[in-house]
Amino acid sequence: MNFVESLLQEHMILAWVTLILSFVILAKSADVFVDCAVDLAYALKIPKLIIGIVLVSLATTAPELSVSFISAIRGKPQMALGNAIGSVICNGGLALGLTGFFALSAIHVTPVVLRLSGGFLVLVQIVLFLFILPDLTLSRPEGVVLVVLFVFYTYLLLTGAKRGKFPLDEDFSDAKKLLKYSMPIIGLIFTAALAGIIIASEMIVSSATVIATSFGIPEAAIAMTLVALGTSIPEVATCVVAAKKGHGTVAVGNILGANIMNICWVAGASAMANDLAISRKEFGFMFPAMFAVMAVMLALLWHKKRITRKKSAVLLTLYVLYIASFFVLFGRG
């Protein structure tokens, strides 16, 4: 993306046009992506919540993985780890907040999945914290452990779904009649929509970074906030579209699954490529912020097992406070 950013730096108007067009492409791609995810749920006779946690989350975390992995290879561990943790905070505060705000009605959460995914999310946060605490580094062996935990989590979800541990709120009796296309066509459209999401996200990151730099915003702030926000846009867009279409369970499942993947898959795989080291100041800010946002998110999800607009306002306020506090601490370099 260096060539693209250089080109945009020379033509600032082009950077603004690219940013706007990328948002348009992202919105349309997310719309198609959600429809395909729901079709896959019916075709495979798997609850939409499980589709959201596994398939949609794996797809929408692709930008985080690519950015963090490349950053690790290029010797930019702060960006790699900051992007992963920043995306967790963005998903919990911004994505879930907007999801609840735009939902047609209150989003109900399946208790058994909340216990499994919520409990696992707490576990991997603690594991990541304990790995980095002694030497402020996430090493290659520790990255392997996180990836293994992710594989184990996915196994638990899929086997639980097959054994009927998760209640089905869908009627699969007429599944074939509800499908607009055949499975191969659905797969092709799904892949094309995912490509649109990833490409648009990358262009948003590049154009927004150029624009932010032109206003004199420090690079550290760009790496830990703007890049994290940019790579989280697929989750945000997909969840908002899902909520507006009445598929709130897909959105909640996507957020829970994406946060677990950001810790286990994105940070873990990036650490396997290169040790991820951060400064004590970054460590002292990112982890308390992540723990606070995730604790509030899980508490709100657990309370009456639903997300309302009032709860969404709390999450959005938390995210705004996170951004503001970041610039207070790091805005001057």
Side-chain angles (χ1 to χ4, degrees):
M1 301 299 290
N2 290 334
F3 171 76
V4 174
E5 291 185 10
S6 298
L7 179 63
L8 295 178
Q9 284 176 351
E10 296 176 0
H11 305 86
M12 192 54 59
I13 294 179
L14 180 61
W16 282 103
V17 172
T18 300
L19 183 65
I20 295 171
L21 289 179
S22 296
F23 274 118
V24 173
I25 295 172
L26 181 67
K28 183 58 181 177
S29 298
D31 184 76
V32 175
F33 189 81
V34 170
D35 286 339
C36 287
V38 174
D39 284 344
L40 284 172
Y42 281 111
L44 301 174
K45 296 185 178 182
I46 295 176
K48 287 184 287 186
L49 184 59
I50 303 301
I51 289 289
I53 291 175
V54 179
L55 184 58
V56 178
S57 298
L58 185 62
T60 56
T61 52
E64 284 98 325
L65 178 61
S66 61
V67 170
S68 290
F69 193 80
I70 292 172
S71 297
I73 292 176
R74 293 181 179 178
K76 298 181 179 180
Q78 291 91 347
M79 179 173 287
L81 195 56
N83 177 44
I85 296 178
S87 295
V88 170
I89 296 171
C90 184
N91 290 339
L94 183 62
L96 187 56
L98 291 176
T99 296
F101 183 81
F102 284 105
L104 301 177
S105 59
I107 301 174
H108 295 273
V109 185
T110 307
V112 64
V113 176
L114 180 57
R115 285 196 296 270
L116 175 59
S117 298
F120 206 87
L121 178 57
V122 172
L123 171 65
V124 295
Q125 285 182 91
I126 294 173
V127 170
L128 180 64
F129 174 78
L130 294 177
F131 278 164
I132 299 178
L133 178 61
D135 54 2
L136 300 177
T137 301
L138 184 64
S139 66
R140 286 187 173 91
E142 292 165 345
V144 172
V145 173
L146 290 175
V147 172
V148 170
L149 283 174
F150 165 66
V151 173
F152 177 66
Y153 166 73
T154 304
Y155 170 79
L156 289 178
L157 281 175
L158 295 179
T159 54
K162 290 182 179 180
R163 295 174 182 174
K165 291 185 178 181
F166 306 128
L168 301 179
D169 56 354
E170 298 89 356
D171 182 8
F172 294 115
S173 58
D174 294 325
K176 292 184 178 180
K177 296 180 181 179
L178 294 172
L179 296 178
K180 298 178 182 178
Y181 307 103
S182 64
M183 278 296 291
I185 298 299
I186 292 174
L188 287 175
I189 297 175
F190 186 88
T191 303
L194 173 59
I197 289 174
I198 294 174
I199 293 172
S201 298
E202 293 290 348
M203 295 307 296
I204 287 171
V205 171
S206 296
S207 55
T209 299
V210 169
I211 293 170
T213 302
S214 70
F215 283 102
I217 300 176
E219 291 186 3
I222 295 173
M224 292 179 63
T225 54
L226 188 58
V227 173
L229 174 61
T231 55
S232 297
I233 286 175
E235 285 95 333
V236 175
T238 301
C239 289
V240 170
V241 171
K244 292 176 69 175
K245 287 177 174 287
H247 304 305
T249 52
V250 173
V252 174
N254 181 25
I255 291 169
L256 290 173
N259 280 348
I260 292 172
M261 289 182 187
N262 274 313
I263 294 174
C264 293
W265 181 233
V266 176
S270 299
M272 289 172 63
N274 199 357
D275 290 348
L276 305 182
I278 58 173
S279 69
R280 185 163 298 278
K281 183 179 181 181
E282 293 166 342
F283 177 81
F285 173 77
M286 288 192 296
F287 277 89
M290 180 179 68
F291 284 137
V293 174
M294 289 301 98
V296 173
M297 182 196 77
L298 292 173
L300 293 177
L301 284 173
W302 190 258
H303 179 253
K304 296 185 178 180
K305 311 301 185 296
R306 63 179 184 175
I307 286 293
T308 62
R309 283 189 171 89
K310 289 183 178 180
K311 292 180 179 180
S312 298
V314 173
L315 292 171
L316 290 172
T317 301
L318 268 181
Y319 185 71
V320 171
L321 290 175
Y322 159 72
I323 295 296
S325 60
F326 179 89
F327 279 99
V328 169
L329 291 176
F330 295 92
R332 295 182 180 179

